[in-house]
Amino acid sequence: MSDELQRIMAIDDPYLLLREVTTRLADAQQEVTELARLRRRVVQDLHAQGLSYAQIAAKAGLSRGRIHQIRHTGPAPEGAFLGRGAVTVATPLRRDDERGRTVVAVDDVSSGKRLEDLARSYGLDVTSEHVPVSGEIDLNRDGLVVVCGPRMSQEMWETYGQDPVLRWERAEDGPWTVVDRRTGTVYRSGQDSDPARPYDVGYIGRLSRPDGSGSLLAIAGIHTQGSLGVVQLLANDLNALWGQVGDRRFSTLVGVEYDPETSEPQSVELLCPCIGTTRRRRREGRPRVALR
């Protein structure tokens, strides 16, 4: 019996006991989920290295049937791309100056809801919140997925600013763009081109928290359709993206062709390689994830 369990069992106040047991059960379930995810990941990695289930079983002291079961059941390893145990999905509130009230963009709501559903499908506990109009948000928390561009939050502006390769900046004619510092390529939305077309650019990166004690997943589009495209990419090809970057820090850009009537993505593709956001690049070569 663990010390923590003994401590809880010794509580006399029934209401405190109920609260402590409920909290501990939630924490324990998260631990069980993440241990099962890690176990499946180890088996998958060993099998990918060429070991048979029988060989893995013999070395691990388990039956071949048990190894086969672990390989095909439980939470998928790629769910760790979004977080471990629990995630918080934050989407921005906007100010409607004409009506003098706070609103949410329909595309932001869709992006947030789809991210929440995706995280739950991988066995993660999910909560949601909004980035207020002021842009103030505490980024020094585990499991944060923030759908918010740099112009809407000073905290996010500073976080995006740590990316050594992909830089958000305004073009001389006014619209926001993203610049690849390695190549000098300027990525801009089709909405801001002449003639305009239903095309946008989305950013996704795992970036360091301000306190340096962890990371957060940052998602933004030049316009809201770009964020929807990023979420579409994650929903359809998370396994491939996980295979490229794992849980390391990275950033990349996504090109999105969308339906001009509904904003729904029609095709999504990576525009550049997944780039390590530390000073040493971890990945080179052509983009390897593409949806059509």
Side-chain angles (χ1 to χ4, degrees):
M1 186 180 297
S2 68
D3 292 342
E4 178 65 6
L5 181 55
Q6 292 184 40
R7 180 191 69 80
I8 293 174
M9 293 180 66
I11 296 174
D12 293 327
D13 185 331
Y15 301 106
L16 177 58
L17 176 60
L18 180 60
R19 184 167 65 249
E20 289 285 326
V21 168
T22 301
T23 300
R24 179 56 185 150
L25 279 172
D27 292 342
Q29 184 56 56
Q30 287 183 5
E31 288 185 17
V32 169
T33 298
E34 291 310 313
L35 286 171
R37 192 189 313 279
L38 178 59
R39 182 176 62 176
R40 181 174 174 182
R41 176 182 176 182
V42 171
V43 171
Q44 288 185 189
D45 288 349
L46 290 173
H47 190 57
Q49 292 169 20
L51 276 72
S52 69
Y53 293 140
Q55 290 173 316
I56 298 171
K59 291 180 178 294
L62 299 170
S63 70
R64 183 185 181 282
R66 184 63 173 140
I67 294 298
H68 188 272
Q69 181 187 45
I70 290 170
R71 169 62 179 84
H72 293 94
T73 61
E78 59 265 27
F81 181 92
L82 300 170
R84 289 184 168 81
V87 300
T88 299
V89 177
T91 54
L93 295 175
R94 300 169 185 268
R95 181 69 179 174
D96 185 341
D97 293 328
E98 183 177 333
R99 300 184 180 181
R101 64 181 183 181
T102 299
V103 298
V104 292
V106 173
D107 292 346
D108 289 336
V109 172
S110 296
S111 292
K113 179 64 166 58
R114 293 173 191 181
L115 282 169
E116 292 171 28
D117 291 343
L118 181 63
R120 291 191 181 96
S121 74
Y122 285 101
L124 297 165
D125 291 337
V126 182
T127 56
S128 62
E129 65 180 54
H130 290 299
V131 180
V133 173
S134 67
E136 297 177 359
I137 179 173
D138 177 12
L139 300 179
N140 295 323
R141 295 175 285 163
D142 293 334
L144 268 182
V145 182
V146 185
V147 183
C148 181
R151 70 182 180 85
M152 302 186 68
S153 165
Q154 181 63 31
E155 284 83 354
M156 290 305 297
W157 169 262
E158 293 171 357
T159 298
Y160 286 114
Q162 70 183 260
D163 189 322
V165 176
L166 299 176
R167 180 179 65 213
W168 290 84
E169 63 179 43
R170 282 190 178 277
E172 291 184 358
D173 56 344
W176 281 92
T177 64
V178 184
V179 179
D180 186 328
R181 301 185 192 187
R182 301 167 309 157
T183 65
T185 303
V186 178
Y187 295 93
R188 62 189 295 156
S189 174
Q191 295 184 38
D192 304 320
S193 302
D194 187 14
R197 64 188 182 99
Y199 175 83
D200 201 30
V201 175
Y203 174 107
I204 178 171
R206 184 176 294 112
L207 306 172
S208 294
R209 294 177 354 190
D211 63 3
S213 297
S215 62
L216 60 92
L217 198 63
I219 296 172
I222 294 179
H223 297 286
T224 56
Q225 292 88 351
S227 298
L228 274 174
V230 170
V231 176
Q232 180 83 0
L233 182 79
L234 296 179
N236 288 357
D237 240 327
L238 186 60
N239 186 49
L241 194 55
W242 166 256
Q244 291 187 45
V245 302
D247 56 6
R248 298 185 298 274
R249 287 165 175 71
F250 79 98
S251 65
T252 191
L253 297 177
V254 177
V256 187
E257 300 278 357
Y258 61 87
D259 186 322
E261 299 296 325
T262 65
S263 292
E264 286 296 316
Q266 300 299 300
S267 67
V268 184
E269 63 179 354
L270 291 186
L271 297 176
C272 60
C274 294
I275 307 158
T277 55
T278 56
R279 290 296 173 182
R280 180 175 64 86
R281 291 185 312 219
R282 294 189 177 90
R283 295 285 176 177
E284 300 290 345
R286 299 289 298 171
R288 288 183 286 164
V289 180
L291 306 178
R292 287 292 183 190

